[in-house]
Amino acid sequence: QLQLQESGPGLVKPSETLSLTCTVSGGSISNSDYYWGWIRQPPGKGLEWIGTIYYSGGTDYNPSLKSRVTISVDTSKNQFSLILNSVTAADTALYYCARGKVVVSGAIWQSWFDPWGQGTLVTVSS
Amino acid sequence: DIVMTQSPDSLAVSLGERATINCKSSQSVLYRDNSLDYLAWYQQKPGQPPKLLIYWASTRESGVPDRFSGSGSGTDFTLTISSLQAEDVAVYYCQQYYSPPITFGQGTRLEIK
């Protein structure tokens, strides 16, 4: 059974860099049927897609965050990572990693997310 | 971006009664080449990550009780719980995957009346 686990600092200072890692167990991150994503949820609020990566390294980012986000993959460690630069209090959120199913429909390749990690709370504060 | 708008924001239903949650997209998420709607539904219980319930607007994920069903096409979708159980108390989200960026509805909180 595939499981995902987020890890990283729970507190980041304003203007600094948020860095999280998602470790995948029970399956290979190199499975070509799937891609890997980051989604966040501010406390008490809804879900925001951050970005997605395919095992080969191809990425897609939310334009609202694109200038500050980098997602990378390490297939040797079965991990993928999120870097978010120049954070502010607005970046305080529960950060989830999740697996997505590749669908092939013309230019469309992303789909639903399942399963999700338990999430890790990142607070931006001095 | 495709904006997903759910209604109502919150809903209270008696045990055993039907619960209906609506989701409207700002543009069609129907891909005409395969006649599929690129829409999913999730359930999020307190302190837990979202759980996939339905994809392709109406395909139930394995293991999801059959009291959950999805319907609709184009821009208007519905998640129906045919007979509400206590364990269904949660926030429900719709998500489109037709066009990046992937976007979610704001969520509908479902409670017991």
Side-chain angles (χ1 to χ4, degrees):
Chain A
Q1 167 188 356
L2 191 89
Q3 293 186 316
L4 299 94
Q5 180 66 58
E6 306 88 351
S7 59
L11 181 64
V12 182
K13 290 182 167 56
S15 79
E16 295 192 347
T17 297
L18 180 159
S19 182
L20 297 175
T21 295
C22 182
T23 301
V24 178
S25 59
S28 173
I29 204 168
S30 299
N31 187 325
S32 60
D33 290 335
Y34 300 101
Y35 62 90
W36 309 90
W38 288 97
I39 303 101
R40 71 180 183 179
Q41 184 172 36
K45 296 189 177 180
L47 301 163
E48 180 182 31
W49 173 70
I50 299 171
T52 286
I53 190 162
Y54 193 54
Y55 79 96
S56 60
T59 55
D60 193 12
Y61 299 134
N62 192 322
S64 68
L65 298 168
K66 189 172 185 176
S67 63
R68 299 193 291 133
V69 171
T70 303
I71 297 176
S72 59
V73 64
D74 186 336
T75 55
S76 68
K77 294 182 179 179
N78 231 32
Q79 294 176 334
F80 62 107
S81 299
L82 168 69
I83 292 177
L84 181 64
N85 297 315
S86 305
V87 298
T88 70
D91 295 310
T92 293
L94 194 54
Y95 284 77
Y96 293 104
C97 59
R99 183 185 72 174
K101 179 77 169 73
V102 172
V103 298
V104 181
S105 309
I108 304 171
W109 61 280
Q110 297 185 68
S111 67
W112 56 88
F113 290 102
D114 176 64
W116 298 53
Q118 284 299 309
T120 187
L121 178 63
V122 179
T123 301
V124 179
S125 175
S126 55
Chain B
D1 298 5
I2 297 178
V3 177
M4 307 300 290
T5 304
Q6 293 181 226
S7 62
D9 288 334
S10 63
L11 179 64
V13 175
S14 300
L15 290 172
E17 296 298 305
R18 178 185 300 263
T20 301
I21 298 169
N22 301 302
C23 175
K24 188 175 184 66
S25 56
S26 60
Q27 63 187 75
S28 177
V29 298
L30 172 65
Y31 189 64
R32 297 199 179 277
D33 287 7
N34 58 17
S35 300
L36 289 172
D37 289 282
Y38 284 52
L39 183 113
W41 287 98
Y42 299 87
Q43 174 193 65
Q44 186 177 31
K45 296 183 179 180
Q48 296 184 20
K51 172 190 172 184
L52 177 69
L53 296 176
I54 289 181
Y55 54 94
W56 298 131
S58 60
T59 301
R60 198 179 304 116
E61 170 70 341
S62 175
V64 173
D66 61 7
R67 64 180 180 274
F68 290 90
S69 63
S71 62
S73 184
T75 61
D76 293 280
F77 301 90
T78 300
L79 175 70
T80 301
I81 307 172
S82 60
S83 177
L84 190 70
Q85 306 299 303
E87 61 264 33
D88 300 335
V89 169
V91 179
Y92 292 85
Y93 294 93
C94 59
Q95 174 224 326
Q96 68 82 20
Y97 45 96
Y98 179 83
S99 174
I102 289 171
T103 49
F104 294 86
Q106 80 277 17
T108 295
R109 185 175 303 276
L110 177 59
E111 299 173 335
I112 304 295
K113 184 186 291 183

